[in-house]
Amino acid sequence: CDTMRKAQDWLSAQNIAFDFHDYKKVGLDRAKLENWCKTLGWETVINRAGQTFRKLDEAQKQDLTEAKAIELMLGNLSMIKRPVLEKDGKLLAGFKPEIYAEFFA
């Protein structure tokens, strides 16, 4: 994913060490996803702009709730916005250089 590469390149350029957890390949447990949704808001965590979400039938997209969104994301991890950063108990989803600079200040 281009966004992941940009985030990793930014972190490397700033000499910020990071551990990369590829949840698309190795999975993600429900408790962690629920925490992300509780902390960031499920509307932030779900990637509505991605192809996976856009390919859902209209019935699946309608009347989304946190519980329904979590089930959709657990069923297809590509529906989770990337990257999600965890640092000192704080979370950040997505990548924008100016927000990363503030997050790591």
Side-chain angles (χ1 to χ4, degrees):
C1 159
D2 192 45
T3 305
M4 289 295 299
R5 280 189 293 280
K6 288 178 184 178
Q8 291 173 338
D9 289 348
W10 188 93
L11 291 167
S12 294
Q14 306 303 313
N15 295 314
I16 297 172
F18 61 92
D19 292 321
F20 175 62
H21 175 88
D22 190 347
Y23 52 79
K24 285 176 61 176
K25 289 185 180 177
V26 297
L28 180 69
D29 65 59
R30 175 180 291 275
K32 184 170 284 290
L33 180 58
E34 288 174 346
N35 180 57
W36 290 354
C37 290
K38 177 183 173 192
T39 304
L40 296 169
W42 67 267
E43 298 93 340
T44 299
V45 178
I46 195 165
N47 183 9
R48 293 178 193 248
Q51 283 187 8
T52 304
F53 184 83
R54 290 192 318 248
K55 288 182 180 179
L56 292 175
D57 63 54
E58 288 305 313
Q60 290 176 296
K61 296 179 195 179
Q62 294 300 314
D63 302 321
L64 275 182
T65 63
E66 181 173 350
K68 186 176 177 182
I70 287 171
E71 291 306 320
L72 286 171
M73 289 185 279
L74 286 173
N76 194 329
L77 298 173
S78 294
M79 239 181 279
I80 300 171
K81 185 176 285 187
R82 296 178 304 274
V84 176
L85 288 177
E86 297 180 340
K87 178 185 177 285
D88 301 330
K90 296 187 298 182
L91 294 171
L92 181 66
F95 173 72
K96 290 190 179 171
E98 61 277 7
I99 294 173
Y100 270 43
E102 184 178 314
F103 188 76
F104 285 100

mmCIF file of all heavy atoms in Angstrom, residues 6-7 10-11 14 16 85 92-105:
data_model
loop_
_atom_site.group_PDB
_atom_site.id
_atom_site.type_symbol
_atom_site.label_atom_id
_atom_site.label_comp_id
_atom_site.label_asym_id
_atom_site.label_seq_id
_atom_site.Cartn_x
_atom_site.Cartn_y
_atom_site.Cartn_z
ATOM 1 N N LYS A 6 4.717 5.397 2.387
ATOM 2 C CA LYS A 6 4.974 6.798 2.743
ATOM 3 C C LYS A 6 5.196 6.944 4.246
ATOM 4 O O LYS A 6 6.098 7.662 4.684
ATOM 5 C CB LYS A 6 3.810 7.678 2.298
ATOM 6 C CG LYS A 6 3.735 7.878 0.807
ATOM 7 C CD LYS A 6 2.526 8.720 0.456
ATOM 8 C CE LYS A 6 2.355 8.859 -1.035
ATOM 9 N NZ LYS A 6 1.151 9.631 -1.377
ATOM 10 N N ALA A 7 4.366 6.284 5.026
ATOM 11 C CA ALA A 7 4.504 6.358 6.484
ATOM 12 C C ALA A 7 5.832 5.757 6.932
ATOM 13 O O ALA A 7 6.541 6.354 7.760
ATOM 14 C CB ALA A 7 3.336 5.651 7.161
ATOM 15 N N TRP A 10 8.662 8.065 5.989
ATOM 16 C CA TRP A 10 8.698 9.234 6.862
ATOM 17 C C TRP A 10 9.329 8.870 8.199
ATOM 18 O O TRP A 10 10.198 9.600 8.702
ATOM 19 C CB TRP A 10 7.288 9.800 7.065
ATOM 20 C CG TRP A 10 7.282 11.103 7.790
ATOM 21 C CD1 TRP A 10 7.300 12.345 7.230
ATOM 22 C CD2 TRP A 10 7.268 11.297 9.218
ATOM 23 N NE1 TRP A 10 7.300 13.304 8.230
ATOM 24 C CE2 TRP A 10 7.283 12.692 9.447
ATOM 25 C CE3 TRP A 10 7.246 10.443 10.307
ATOM 26 C CZ2 TRP A 10 7.270 13.235 10.730
ATOM 27 C CZ3 TRP A 10 7.246 10.982 11.583
ATOM 28 C CH2 TRP A 10 7.252 12.357 11.784
ATOM 29 N N LEU A 11 8.882 7.767 8.787
ATOM 30 C CA LEU A 11 9.425 7.342 10.081
ATOM 31 C C LEU A 11 10.928 7.089 9.978
ATOM 32 O O LEU A 11 11.696 7.520 10.843
ATOM 33 C CB LEU A 11 8.703 6.080 10.569
ATOM 34 C CG LEU A 11 7.250 6.272 10.983
ATOM 35 C CD1 LEU A 11 6.557 4.921 11.126
ATOM 36 C CD2 LEU A 11 7.148 7.079 12.260
ATOM 37 N N GLN A 14 12.968 10.260 9.775
ATOM 38 C CA GLN A 14 13.024 10.951 11.061
ATOM 39 C C GLN A 14 13.803 10.150 12.104
ATOM 40 O O GLN A 14 13.856 10.542 13.272
ATOM 41 C CB GLN A 14 11.606 11.213 11.591
ATOM 42 C CG GLN A 14 10.693 11.939 10.633
ATOM 43 C CD GLN A 14 11.247 13.274 10.175
ATOM 44 O OE1 GLN A 14 11.717 14.061 10.979
ATOM 45 N NE2 GLN A 14 11.195 13.526 8.879
ATOM 46 N N ILE A 16 12.952 7.357 13.457
ATOM 47 C CA ILE A 16 12.022 6.847 14.455
ATOM 48 C C ILE A 16 11.900 5.339 14.239
ATOM 49 O O ILE A 16 11.470 4.889 13.172
ATOM 50 C CB ILE A 16 10.644 7.527 14.337
ATOM 51 C CG1 ILE A 16 10.787 9.031 14.609
ATOM 52 C CG2 ILE A 16 9.638 6.887 15.289
ATOM 53 C CD1 ILE A 16 9.539 9.845 14.331
ATOM 54 N N LEU A 85 -0.979 3.704 14.084
ATOM 55 C CA LEU A 85 0.201 3.820 14.945
ATOM 56 C C LEU A 85 -0.213 3.736 16.398
ATOM 57 O O LEU A 85 -1.229 4.314 16.792
ATOM 58 C CB LEU A 85 0.882 5.171 14.735
ATOM 59 C CG LEU A 85 1.624 5.405 13.444
ATOM 60 C CD1 LEU A 85 2.163 6.830 13.420
ATOM 61 C CD2 LEU A 85 2.760 4.434 13.286
ATOM 62 N N LEU A 92 -3.067 6.671 16.284
ATOM 63 C CA LEU A 92 -3.230 7.541 15.134
ATOM 64 C C LEU A 92 -3.501 6.651 13.929
ATOM 65 O O LEU A 92 -2.824 5.636 13.742
ATOM 66 C CB LEU A 92 -1.957 8.364 14.915
ATOM 67 C CG LEU A 92 -1.937 9.353 13.772
ATOM 68 C CD1 LEU A 92 -2.945 10.473 14.021
ATOM 69 C CD2 LEU A 92 -0.544 9.928 13.604
ATOM 70 N N ALA A 93 -4.481 7.015 13.111
ATOM 71 C CA ALA A 93 -4.808 6.234 11.918
ATOM 72 C C ALA A 93 -4.577 7.076 10.679
ATOM 73 O O ALA A 93 -4.888 8.264 10.648
ATOM 74 C CB ALA A 93 -6.254 5.766 11.964
ATOM 75 N N GLY A 94 -4.029 6.441 9.643
ATOM 76 C CA GLY A 94 -3.755 7.122 8.390
ATOM 77 C C GLY A 94 -2.374 7.749 8.399
ATOM 78 O O GLY A 94 -1.600 7.573 9.336
ATOM 79 N N PHE A 95 -2.053 8.459 7.309
ATOM 80 C CA PHE A 95 -0.748 9.121 7.228
ATOM 81 C C PHE A 95 -0.876 10.498 6.601
ATOM 82 O O PHE A 95 -1.405 10.652 5.506
ATOM 83 C CB PHE A 95 0.245 8.313 6.398
ATOM 84 C CG PHE A 95 1.532 9.057 6.157
ATOM 85 C CD1 PHE A 95 2.418 9.245 7.197
ATOM 86 C CD2 PHE A 95 1.825 9.600 4.916
ATOM 87 C CE1 PHE A 95 3.598 9.972 7.001
ATOM 88 C CE2 PHE A 95 2.997 10.315 4.707
ATOM 89 C CZ PHE A 95 3.891 10.499 5.743
ATOM 90 N N LYS A 96 -0.393 11.483 7.337
ATOM 91 C CA LYS A 96 -0.183 12.839 6.844
ATOM 92 C C LYS A 96 1.066 13.337 7.552
ATOM 93 O O LYS A 96 1.136 13.303 8.792
ATOM 94 C CB LYS A 96 -1.377 13.745 7.145
ATOM 95 C CG LYS A 96 -2.598 13.393 6.332
ATOM 96 C CD LYS A 96 -3.676 14.422 6.458
ATOM 97 C CE LYS A 96 -4.824 13.964 5.568
ATOM 98 N NZ LYS A 96 -6.008 14.751 5.751
ATOM 99 N N PRO A 97 2.070 13.774 6.800
ATOM 100 C CA PRO A 97 3.347 14.164 7.417
ATOM 101 C C PRO A 97 3.197 15.176 8.551
ATOM 102 O O PRO A 97 3.850 15.030 9.596
ATOM 103 C CB PRO A 97 4.142 14.763 6.251
ATOM 104 C CG PRO A 97 3.557 14.154 5.032
ATOM 105 C CD PRO A 97 2.105 13.918 5.339
ATOM 106 N N GLU A 98 2.340 16.174 8.372
ATOM 107 C CA GLU A 98 2.209 17.203 9.410
ATOM 108 C C GLU A 98 1.598 16.641 10.695
ATOM 109 O O GLU A 98 1.964 17.042 11.798
ATOM 110 C CB GLU A 98 1.398 18.403 8.896
ATOM 111 C CG GLU A 98 -0.022 18.096 8.474
ATOM 112 C CD GLU A 98 -0.194 17.538 7.052
ATOM 113 O OE1 GLU A 98 0.812 17.237 6.373
ATOM 114 O OE2 GLU A 98 -1.354 17.393 6.637
ATOM 115 N N ILE A 99 0.703 15.686 10.557
ATOM 116 C CA ILE A 99 0.093 15.063 11.742
ATOM 117 C C ILE A 99 1.099 14.137 12.421
ATOM 118 O O ILE A 99 1.185 14.090 13.643
ATOM 119 C CB ILE A 99 -1.211 14.341 11.368
ATOM 120 C CG1 ILE A 99 -2.245 15.383 10.910
ATOM 121 C CG2 ILE A 99 -1.748 13.535 12.546
ATOM 122 C CD1 ILE A 99 -3.517 14.804 10.350
ATOM 123 N N TYR A 100 1.894 13.421 11.615
ATOM 124 C CA TYR A 100 2.946 12.584 12.193
ATOM 125 C C TYR A 100 3.951 13.446 12.956
ATOM 126 O O TYR A 100 4.387 13.077 14.048
ATOM 127 C CB TYR A 100 3.663 11.785 11.102
ATOM 128 C CG TYR A 100 3.057 10.431 10.823
ATOM 129 C CD1 TYR A 100 1.688 10.240 10.741
ATOM 130 C CD2 TYR A 100 3.889 9.334 10.626
ATOM 131 C CE1 TYR A 100 1.148 9.011 10.475
ATOM 132 C CE2 TYR A 100 3.343 8.086 10.360
ATOM 133 C CZ TYR A 100 1.995 7.925 10.291
ATOM 134 O OH TYR A 100 1.473 6.694 10.029
ATOM 135 N N ALA A 101 4.340 14.574 12.394
ATOM 136 C CA ALA A 101 5.315 15.461 13.053
ATOM 137 C C ALA A 101 4.784 15.910 14.409
ATOM 138 O O ALA A 101 5.517 15.908 15.405
ATOM 139 C CB ALA A 101 5.620 16.659 12.160
ATOM 140 N N GLU A 102 3.510 16.247 14.468
ATOM 141 C CA GLU A 102 2.896 16.652 15.724
ATOM 142 C C GLU A 102 2.799 15.470 16.696
ATOM 143 O O GLU A 102 3.068 15.609 17.894
ATOM 144 C CB GLU A 102 1.500 17.222 15.452
ATOM 145 C CG GLU A 102 0.810 17.766 16.669
ATOM 146 C CD GLU A 102 -0.550 18.355 16.318
ATOM 147 O OE1 GLU A 102 -0.634 19.104 15.329
ATOM 148 O OE2 GLU A 102 -1.531 18.051 17.048
ATOM 149 N N PHE A 103 2.429 14.310 16.186
ATOM 150 C CA PHE A 103 2.267 13.107 16.998
ATOM 151 C C PHE A 103 3.586 12.720 17.669
ATOM 152 O O PHE A 103 3.613 12.295 18.820
ATOM 153 C CB PHE A 103 1.756 11.964 16.109
ATOM 154 C CG PHE A 103 1.367 10.706 16.837
ATOM 155 C CD1 PHE A 103 0.176 10.624 17.544
ATOM 156 C CD2 PHE A 103 2.177 9.575 16.790
ATOM 157 C CE1 PHE A 103 -0.191 9.458 18.190
ATOM 158 C CE2 PHE A 103 1.809 8.400 17.439
ATOM 159 C CZ PHE A 103 0.630 8.347 18.132
ATOM 160 N N PHE A 104 4.700 12.882 16.944
ATOM 161 C CA PHE A 104 5.996 12.461 17.468
ATOM 162 C C PHE A 104 6.791 13.615 18.100
ATOM 163 O O PHE A 104 7.934 13.422 18.492
ATOM 164 C CB PHE A 104 6.834 11.799 16.362
ATOM 165 C CG PHE A 104 6.350 10.416 16.043
ATOM 166 C CD1 PHE A 104 5.537 10.207 14.926
ATOM 167 C CD2 PHE A 104 6.660 9.346 16.851
ATOM 168 C CE1 PHE A 104 5.078 8.937 14.624
ATOM 169 C CE2 PHE A 104 6.211 8.069 16.558
ATOM 170 C CZ PHE A 104 5.411 7.867 15.437
ATOM 171 N N ALA A 105 6.192 14.797 18.205
ATOM 172 C CA ALA A 105 6.909 15.959 18.767
ATOM 173 C C ALA A 105 7.146 15.766 20.263
ATOM 174 O O ALA A 105 6.441 15.126 20.966
ATOM 175 C CB ALA A 105 6.109 17.227 18.533
#
